[in-house]
Amino acid sequence: MSRGIAKVFRRKFGRVHELRQSNPEVGEVLQVTEEGTNRKIFCLVTKKASYQKPNYEDVWNPLCLLREVLLAEDLR
């Protein structure tokens, strides 16, 4: 997580070490609750390395999973 949107995520929210420790696989949705607030941050894993290009399925699957998580937790 050192390039592109991941770099912005690290600068703005930090806590990247928590995401890396979970050993994410492509297609997963990672969730972090911001300290001091009830705000939740979701990170969709669409590729293994920053230099790769995600394919349609690698983007579609985490989006569908994110939808299920949002509906289950009644988040908007």
Side-chain angles (χ1 to χ4, degrees):
M1 295 186 82
S2 61
R3 293 181 162 194
I5 191 73
K7 187 175 182 180
V8 174
F9 184 90
R10 178 190 319 209
R11 185 177 58 232
K12 188 164 182 163
F13 302 111
R15 300 175 65 185
V16 174
H17 62 281
E18 291 177 33
L19 299 175
R20 284 203 166 184
Q21 284 178 346
S22 66
N23 251 353
E25 293 291 322
V26 173
E28 288 186 35
V29 175
L30 305 176
Q31 178 179 341
V32 177
T33 304
E34 195 173 32
E35 294 176 9
T37 66
N38 201 22
R39 186 163 83 166
K40 296 184 180 189
I41 302 162
F42 296 93
C43 181
L44 289 87
V45 182
T46 58
K47 54 189 180 174
K48 285 188 181 239
S50 63
Y51 57 84
Q52 294 176 326
K53 298 221 183 252
N55 62 32
Y56 184 83
E57 276 186 30
D58 291 341
V59 174
W60 181 255
N61 292 337
L63 283 172
C64 291
L65 185 57
L66 177 63
R67 180 176 182 264
E68 291 174 20
V69 170
L70 294 175
L71 289 173
E73 296 188 19
D74 196 31
L75 296 172
R76 296 176 190 248

